[in-house]
Amino acid sequence: AQSVTQPDIHITVSEGASLELRCNYSYGATPYLFWYVQSPGQGLQLLLKYFSGDTLVQGIKGFEAEFKRSQSSFNLRKPSVHWSDAAEYFCAVGPTDSWGKLQFGAGTQVVVTP
Amino acid sequence: DVKVTQSSRYLVKRTGEKVFLECVQDMDHENMFWYRQDPGLGLRLIYFSYDVKMKEKGDIPEGYSVSREKKERFSLILESASTNQTSMYLCASSLTGVGYGYTFGSGTRLTVV
């Protein structure tokens, strides 16, 4: 069965420290991959996406993600977090033969401490 | 700036009421979606629509219906609201083709009392 897994429900990180959020997927072929961020009380905003090509993808707000085919992973990273990065982060995947339906992970809540 | 607009940020309704949640997009997108978001459960798809008057059930359609009479508007209807439908409801839209991703509205926090 197709699935998207975010193993970490909750992560606490100090301001200025690095952040890595994990995402693993199980699909028949490499799907389209996305990371979204949801600030408190808001909708989801697209951070970055991967289709093909360079496996290191740059996004907005200083985030990047690396696609690793051998591990079926698409982990999100930021070298130095800011207090404003406190939010919930969602990984999403969609099969390349799909008309547009995405499957979302359960989300990772990030707390940033001073 | 392109937008998905949900008509209400917060709603409080009584059990048994018929509830309408409205979503409008100005991007001429073919696809529109309704999700509910609950702590620990992530986003769960209620219904989606890939064209005017076309709709498909998602993962949790029970207790909900939808209407899409115009391309830009997608309505979620709770026929008889119940307390277990208290949740955050998110609308999204997209072009046809999964690679485009979704644009989300800001959400409607519905409380059923």
Side-chain angles (χ1 to χ4, degrees):
Chain A
Q2 299 172 336
S3 66
V4 184
T5 303
Q6 292 181 246
D8 304 304
I9 297 171
H10 188 275
I11 286 180
T12 298
V13 59
S14 299
E15 193 168 12
S18 64
L19 174 68
E20 181 167 12
L21 304 181
R22 296 183 290 165
C23 175
N24 296 98
Y25 64 90
S26 174
Y27 269 74
T30 300
Y32 288 114
L33 298 157
F34 304 82
W35 275 101
Y36 285 85
V37 61
Q38 185 181 32
S39 298
Q42 299 297 316
L44 278 68
Q45 180 185 18
L46 179 66
L47 282 175
L48 48 78
K49 56 187 176 182
Y50 174 78
F51 304 147
S52 63
D54 191 347
T55 57
L56 188 62
V57 181
Q58 301 298 318
I60 63 171
K61 303 177 185 281
F63 283 91
E64 65 180 24
E66 185 173 14
F67 169 66
K68 292 186 177 180
R69 184 188 306 274
S70 61
Q71 298 177 18
S72 296
S73 69
F74 188 56
N75 293 348
L76 182 71
R77 300 195 293 250
K78 186 169 185 177
S80 176
V81 299
H82 186 262
W83 63 266
S84 60
D85 294 322
E88 190 157 20
Y89 293 80
F90 292 91
C91 180
V93 301
T96 53
D97 60 352
S98 166
W99 54 267
K101 187 177 168 187
L102 297 181
Q103 185 171 0
F104 288 83
T108 298
Q109 184 71 48
V110 173
V111 173
V112 180
T113 60
Chain B
D1 195 14
V2 294
K3 280 186 180 176
V4 175
T5 303
Q6 295 185 231
S7 54
S8 304
R9 289 299 305 275
Y10 300 94
L11 276 179
V12 180
K13 296 293 182 181
R14 295 193 179 277
T15 301
E17 276 193 77
K18 190 169 186 176
V19 181
F20 293 85
L21 302 183
E22 305 288 344
C23 176
V24 177
Q25 51 97 359
D26 64 0
M27 297 166 284
D28 202 33
H29 284 176
E30 294 88 8
N31 304 328
M32 297 189 75
F33 307 84
W34 275 106
Y35 286 86
R36 67 176 282 175
Q37 181 181 16
D38 301 287
L41 298 177
L43 275 67
R44 293 181 291 168
L45 181 63
I46 305 172
Y47 268 96
F48 60 96
S49 169
Y50 52 88
D51 201 352
V52 175
K53 297 189 185 294
M54 305 303 290
K55 58 187 179 184
E56 294 285 343
K57 293 180 180 179
D59 301 319
I60 53 163
E62 296 79 19
Y64 303 94
S65 62
V66 291
S67 173
R68 193 168 181 199
E69 297 296 319
K70 294 185 178 181
K71 189 175 185 179
E72 66 270 20
R73 186 179 297 272
F74 191 37
S75 303
L76 180 69
I77 304 156
L78 286 66
E79 297 290 343
S80 178
S82 64
T83 55
N84 64 12
Q85 293 178 309
T86 292
S87 186
M88 169 72 94
Y89 289 87
L90 293 169
C91 176
S93 72
S94 75
L95 292 167
T96 295
V98 71
Y100 293 101
Y102 293 175
T103 301
F104 281 88
S106 297
T108 296
R109 173 76 63 185
L110 173 67
T111 302
V112 182
V113 298

